[in-house]
């Protein structure tokens, strides 16, 4: 296997008057969580044991309305956002989500994408495409029902998620990205079957190292399978070579099969942190802004929004939050930081 350094993209100049954080990073990606609820209970995100321990989901009136989200999103775009990803929880659980997508898709030059567990995608794919969604990412951790049940905590047939991926492709949302979180000893045996299934399909399978997001998932370093081991495993059966990133802040490192059967990706937050190019902001479903996936607290924009704050005041608040940002959690992670009281992934968005 030839290993070539691939993080060669250079930062794009953010443009005049756009805010930079304390480490010189600009804002280009906004991830909007539209609900903290989910119909799955993945062990690495929202295990049932944690929910049973009194976790309180938000009430509907606590969530930002679509009008509020659209207003904020427009202000973020003015601050440099080029890509918006809709997340959850499970975003397709939010009623009439297509209406929000339609509003966001009308912003010129902004890419709108969505991450879903795929359970409702077979019915929704056409409507999402019609609303203007550009791309979609589906989480899928195994192809066999037993491992899938073990990972997601629910008895849901894998074939229905696969039908959702097919429907997305047929609706024109291809290539679909498939996210597989890998937990050593839990679903690492599913890596090669997933590779065999998605090779040549036109879709892009990505392997995500199990991360210490939140506190509910009981993360242990020993359960992380480093992505270099994943690549080595795949390369031994289907030789792969690295591909240059498409843009500066790309999270996944891209690889392609040497026989032309398509691309795969690895997201190595634990073993190869990518904070130096992190241009992402996260807006929770109740309107709090988080400058890092591993943050312990957010900055509420909802009160300002609901108490008559002007666009200028909101924009100044957003810029100020970004300009004070010094996050680089994955670069400074230790056994001690893993236990900090961090916000949960299903609340902040993946
Ligand atoms: P595209 O390549 O444009 O499709 O976007 P993406 O790579 O950001 O895809 P996606 O949103 O599916 O992100 C993939 C996964 O990477 C997420 O589900 C997270 O698990 C992880 N991830 C995304 N952003 C960050 C980040 O800022 N920090 C860390 N540590 N992990 C992230
Ligand atoms: N580690 C890595 N990835 C995670 N995701 C959720 N929790 C974790 C975690 N602890 C991923 C899911 C999904 C996206 C929303 O985030 O697989 O693709
Ligand atoms: Fe739900 Fe996604 Fe979290 Fe799984 S990872 S529990 S599908 S929000
Ligand atoms: Fe960005 Fe925080 Fe992830 Fe680093 S750990 S890449 S700063 S979200």
């Amino acid at each position: 296997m030839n290993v070539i350094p691939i993080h060669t993209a250079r930062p794009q100049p953010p443009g005049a008057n756009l805010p930079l954080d304390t480490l010189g990073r600009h804002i280009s990606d906004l991830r909007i969580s539209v609900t903290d609820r989910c119909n799955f209970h993945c062990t690495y995100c929202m295990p049932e044991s944690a929910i049973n321990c009194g976790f309180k989901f938000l009430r509907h009136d606590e969530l930002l309305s679509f009008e509020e989200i659209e207003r904020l999103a427009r202000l973020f775009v003015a601050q440099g956002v080029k890509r918006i990803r809709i997340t959850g929880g499970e975003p397709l659980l939010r009623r009439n989500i297509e209406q929000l997508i339609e509003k966001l898709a009308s912003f010129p030059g902004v890419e709108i994408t969505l991450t879903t567990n795929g359970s409702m995608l077979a019915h929704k794919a056409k409507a999402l495409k019609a609303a203007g969604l550009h791309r979609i990412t589906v989480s899928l951790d195994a192809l066999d029902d037993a491992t899938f049940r073990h990972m997601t905590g629910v008895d849901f047939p894998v074939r229905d998620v696969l039908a959702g991926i097919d429907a997305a492709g047929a609706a024109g949302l291809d290539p679909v990205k498939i996210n597989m979180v890998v937990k050593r000893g839990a679903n690492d045996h599913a890596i090669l079957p997933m590779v065999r299934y998605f090779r040549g399909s036109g879709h892009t399978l990505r392997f995500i190292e199990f991360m210490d997001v939140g506190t509910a998932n009981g993360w242990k370093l020993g359960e992380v399978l480093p992505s270099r081991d994943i690549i080595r495993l795949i390369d031994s059966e289907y030789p792969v070579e690295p591909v240059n990133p498409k843009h500066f802040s790309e999270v996944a490192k891209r690889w392609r099969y040497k026989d032309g059967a398509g691309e795969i990706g690895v997201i190595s937050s634990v073993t190869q942190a990518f904070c130096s190019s992190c241009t992402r902001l996260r807006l929770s479903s109740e309107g709090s802004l988080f400058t890092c996936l591993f943050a312990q607290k957010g900055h509420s924009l909802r009160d300002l929004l609901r108490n008559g704050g002007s666009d200028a005041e909101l924009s100044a608040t957003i810029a100020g939050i970004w300009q004070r940002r010094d996050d680089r959690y994955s670069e400074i992670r230790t056994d001690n930081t893993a236990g900090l009281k961090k916000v949960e992934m299903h609340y902040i968005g993946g």
Side-chain angles (χ1 to χ4, degrees), residues 38-42 44-46 88-90 117 139 346:
C38 186
N39 53 336
F40 284 9
H41 290 295
C42 300
Y44 48 77
C45 172
M46 195 200 278
E90 171 46 44
N117 63 26
S139 315
H346 59 91

Side-chain angles (χ1 to χ4, degrees), residues 113 130 272 276 328:
T113 59
Q272 294 169 61
S276 58
R328 52 188 201 94

Side-chain angles (χ1 to χ4, degrees), residues 41-47 50 89 210 213 216-217 344-347:
H41 290 295
C42 300
T43 52
Y44 48 77
C45 172
M46 195 200 278
F210 174 36
V213 198
N217 65 16
E344 297 297 336
M345 185 104 158
H346 59 91
Y347 168 76

Side-chain angles (χ1 to χ4, degrees), residues 71 74-75 80 120 150 152 193 235 241 265 268 273 285 316 322 332 339:
R71 180 172 171 211
R74 202 177 288 284
L75 300 178
M120 288 160 276
H150 180 68
T152 57
D235 186 63
E241 60 193 3
S268 324
S285 47
W322 188 262
I332 56 171

Side-chain angles (χ1 to χ4, degrees), residues 53-164:
C53 279
F55 184 86
K56 281 225 167 38
F57 289 105
L58 297 168
R59 295 187 316 270
H60 191 74
D61 62 309
E62 293 177 296
L63 302 181
L64 291 190
S65 67
F66 289 165
E67 288 69 27
E68 289 170 327
I69 294 175
E70 183 193 4
R71 180 172 171 211
L72 286 178
R74 202 177 288 284
L75 300 178
F76 282 108
V77 168
Q79 308 254 7
V81 163
K82 301 262 179 306
R83 291 176 289 273
I84 296 180
R85 180 170 292 273
I86 299 170
T87 69
E90 171 46 44
L92 300 187
L93 284 177
R94 180 86 185 248
R95 202 171 306 151
N96 300 325
I97 187 69
E98 305 84 306
Q99 291 173 6
L100 175 66
I101 292 169
E102 208 168 325
K103 288 175 196 290
L104 301 180
S106 70
F107 296 172
V110 180
E111 186 188 47
I112 313 296
T113 59
L114 180 145
T115 301
T116 173
N117 63 26
S119 59
M120 288 160 276
L121 190 54
H123 311 290
K124 299 255 184 178
K126 266 194 190 152
L128 295 172
K129 175 67 185 176
L133 188 70
H134 295 123
R135 291 192 294 115
I136 197 156
T137 298
V138 179
S139 315
L140 178 64
D141 301 330
L143 285 175
D144 66 286
D145 283 328
T147 310
F148 189 68
R149 188 183 319 117
H150 180 68
M151 295 298 286
T152 57
V154 290
D155 215 348
F156 189 90
V158 171
R159 67 168 180 278
D160 289 9
V161 178
L162 295 176

Side-chain angles (χ1 to χ4, degrees), residues 28-323:
S28 61
D29 303 73
L30 175 66
R31 305 170 76 97
I32 303 174
S33 169
V34 291
T35 177
D36 57 343
R37 290 168 198 261
C38 186
N39 53 336
F40 284 9
H41 290 295
C42 300
T43 52
Y44 48 77
C45 172
M46 195 200 278
E48 196 143 20
S49 53
I51 300 302
N52 291 342
C53 279
F55 184 86
K56 281 225 167 38
F57 289 105
L58 297 168
R59 295 187 316 270
H60 191 74
D61 62 309
E62 293 177 296
L63 302 181
L64 291 190
S65 67
F66 289 165
E67 288 69 27
E68 289 170 327
I69 294 175
E70 183 193 4
R71 180 172 171 211
L72 286 178
R74 202 177 288 284
L75 300 178
F76 282 108
V77 168
Q79 308 254 7
V81 163
K82 301 262 179 306
R83 291 176 289 273
I84 296 180
R85 180 170 292 273
I86 299 170
T87 69
E90 171 46 44
L92 300 187
L93 284 177
R94 180 86 185 248
R95 202 171 306 151
N96 300 325
I97 187 69
E98 305 84 306
Q99 291 173 6
L100 175 66
I101 292 169
E102 208 168 325
K103 288 175 196 290
L104 301 180
S106 70
F107 296 172
V110 180
E111 186 188 47
I112 313 296
T113 59
L114 180 145
T115 301
T116 173
N117 63 26
S119 59
M120 288 160 276
L121 190 54
H123 311 290
K124 299 255 184 178
K126 266 194 190 152
L128 295 172
K129 175 67 185 176
L133 188 70
H134 295 123
R135 291 192 294 115
I136 197 156
T137 298
V138 179
S139 315
L140 178 64
D141 301 330
L143 285 175
D144 66 286
D145 283 328
T147 310
F148 189 68
R149 188 183 319 117
H150 180 68
M151 295 298 286
T152 57
V154 290
D155 215 348
F156 189 90
V158 171
R159 67 168 180 278
D160 289 9
V161 178
L162 295 176
I165 294 169
D166 289 345
L173 287 167
D174 51 335
V176 178
K177 288 189 179 167
I178 320 293
N179 279 352
M180 173 176 178
V181 176
V182 181
K183 269 180 92 175
R184 194 197 285 275
N187 70 333
D188 42 351
H189 61 279
I191 294 172
L192 285 176
M194 288 281 283
V195 163
R196 291 181 198 119
Y197 185 87
F198 285 108
R199 257 173 60 79
S201 68
H203 303 315
T204 306
L205 177 58
R206 287 121 46 96
F207 302 91
I208 308 178
E209 290 178 351
F210 174 36
M211 299 187 288
D212 51 332
V213 198
T215 47
N217 65 16
W219 183 85
K220 291 185 202 73
L221 185 58
E223 289 177 328
V224 178
L225 184 63
S227 53
R228 87 179 74 82
D229 295 354
I230 297 175
I231 290 295
R232 200 175 295 136
L233 174 70
I234 297 169
D235 186 63
S236 67
E237 190 160 329
Y238 301 105
V240 289
E241 60 193 3
V243 181
N244 280 332
K246 272 194 186 137
H247 59 82
F248 167 67
S249 49
E250 204 161 53
V251 166
K253 284 192 180 175
R254 300 162 61 208
W255 295 76
R256 70 176 155 235
Y257 297 109
K258 287 185 178 169
D259 66 2
E263 272 194 26
I264 55 172
V266 286
I267 297 168
S268 324
S269 164
V270 180
T271 62
Q272 294 169 61
F274 37 79
C275 301
S276 58
S277 60
C278 181
T279 54
R280 287 171 289 281
L281 257 178
R282 292 177 157 85
L283 181 65
S284 79
S285 47
E286 60 173 339
S288 282
L289 203 54
F290 290 85
T291 54
C292 180
L293 183 53
F294 299 90
Q296 292 178 265
K297 65 178 184 55
H299 310 261
S300 178
L301 296 179
R302 195 180 60 189
D303 291 344
L304 185 55
L305 199 57
R306 292 192 177 169
N307 293 332
S310 66
D311 283 358
E313 283 170 309
L314 283 161
S315 294
T317 303
I318 293 165
I321 292 168
W322 188 262
Q323 281 158 343

